[in-house]
């Protein structure tokens, strides 16, 4: 493309174009580094770009995906480590691998590689086709498990989790950077002084 553009201009402008394109290439890493904090200051969120959050938003995704230099970014690791350290006994995390990729693989790492807590399970359906995923699988699993163990959702995806239906059936609260489901009649709201999320 650059060759075509330069061939269209006179010889005297070619060196100026070479210099301009060279400076643009050199400035690109700086641009990648500066855009996310500027975007955050003016109120631009991950949702504006369709970038999913990790859990309840522990990482500014625009900075992660735009800046190729990830050196020193320990937020995903911290997210997983914190959850496995503080999660209640026998917790179940529902993180469908396609829609909540970060959460699924981060938590799987701590579960299968570091084996921090063998009592914690992660449901992600990695063998299911995500383009034909049946959210009824999630509803059924939640209905079976909530009475017996702590259950967490990685996100409030309506497409994959039928979150709007779950909000009507359960008290959903932000907890440990995920979304915990309590039975709606459990008294969790008054006992723990928490407010259930609404659609």
């Amino acid at each position: 493309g650059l060759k075509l553009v330069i061939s269209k201009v006179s010889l005297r402008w070619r060196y100026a174009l070479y210099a301009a394109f060279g400076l643009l290439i050199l400035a690109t890493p700086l641009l990648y580094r500066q855009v996310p904090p500027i975007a955050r200051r003016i109120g631009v969120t991950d949702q504006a770009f369709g970038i999913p959050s990790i859990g309840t938003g522990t990482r500014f995704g625009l900075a992660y995906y735009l800046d190729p230099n990830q050196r020193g970014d320990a937020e995903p690791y911290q997210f997983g480590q914190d959850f496995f350290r503080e999660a209640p006994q026998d917790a179940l995390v529902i993180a469908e691998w396609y829609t909540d990729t970060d959460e699924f693989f981060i938590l799987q790492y701590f579960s299968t590689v570091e084996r921090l807590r063998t009592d914690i399970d992660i449901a992600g359906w990695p063998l299911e086709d995500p383009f034909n995923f049946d959210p009824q699988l999630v509803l059924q699993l939640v209905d079976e498990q909530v009475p017996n163990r702590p259950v967490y959702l990685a996100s409030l995806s309506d497409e994959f989790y039928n979150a709007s239906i779950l909000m009507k059936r359960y008290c959903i609260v932000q907890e440990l950077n995920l979304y915990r489901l309590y039975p709606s009649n459990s008294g969790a709201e008054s006992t723990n002084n928490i407010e259930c999320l609404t659609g």
Side-chain angles (χ1 to χ4, degrees), residues 5-157:
V5 170
I6 289 177
S7 69
K8 301 287 186 183
V9 300
S10 63
L11 186 61
R12 57 181 274 188
W13 285 103
R14 289 185 185 179
Y15 292 110
L17 280 175
Y18 279 128
F21 280 115
L23 286 173
L24 181 62
I25 291 170
L26 291 174
T28 299
L30 181 63
L31 183 67
Y32 283 157
R33 179 58 57 92
Q34 294 304 316
V35 167
I38 292 171
R40 177 174 262 173
R41 277 199 296 273
I42 63 175
V44 176
T45 65
D46 289 342
Q47 287 72 29
F49 294 94
I51 299 172
S53 299
I54 285 190
T56 57
T58 61
R59 181 175 74 186
F60 187 38
L62 182 60
Y64 178 79
Y65 289 109
L66 192 59
D67 187 352
N69 179 16
Q70 301 305 317
R71 185 175 182 179
D73 178 16
E75 289 178 350
Y77 187 89
Q78 194 65 50
F79 159 74
Q81 192 176 55
D82 288 348
F83 180 79
F84 272 78
R85 184 179 61 246
E86 300 175 23
Q89 189 74 20
D90 297 322
L92 168 67
V93 180
I94 298 173
E96 197 281 332
W97 73 272
Y98 180 79
T99 191
D100 292 309
T101 306
D102 289 331
E103 294 89 337
F104 175 75
F105 285 108
I106 290 166
L107 297 174
Q108 282 287 9
Y109 167 78
F110 282 99
S111 177
T112 60
V113 178
E114 297 208 359
R115 297 190 63 80
L116 290 186
R117 294 271 303 274
T118 57
D119 61 297
I120 294 176
D121 294 319
I122 297 97
W125 296 276
L127 300 180
E128 293 283 336
D129 178 3
F131 301 105
N132 294 300
F133 186 77
D134 182 5
Q136 190 64 34
L137 292 171
V138 175
L139 293 178
Q140 183 178 344
L141 182 62
V142 168
D143 288 340
E144 290 173 355
Q145 297 298 322
V146 165
N148 307 311
R149 65 194 304 192
V151 176
Y152 293 84
L153 287 178
S155 71
L156 297 179
S157 167

Side-chain angles (χ1 to χ4, degrees), residues 83 86-89 91-92 94 142-143 145-153 156 163 165-197:
F83 180 79
E86 300 175 23
Q89 189 74 20
L92 168 67
I94 298 173
V142 168
D143 288 340
Q145 297 298 322
V146 165
N148 307 311
R149 65 194 304 192
V151 176
Y152 293 84
L153 287 178
L156 297 179
I165 294 176
L166 289 174
M167 283 184 177
K168 294 174 183 175
R169 293 186 187 178
Y170 300 96
C171 173
I172 300 179
V173 300
Q174 293 186 11
E175 185 176 303
L176 300 178
N177 292 320
L178 294 171
Y179 298 93
R180 183 166 176 181
L181 291 85
Y182 288 93
S184 56
N185 60 352
S186 67
E189 306 94 315
S190 58
T191 304
N192 300 318
N193 195 27
I194 58 179
E195 186 174 340
C196 303
L197 298 176

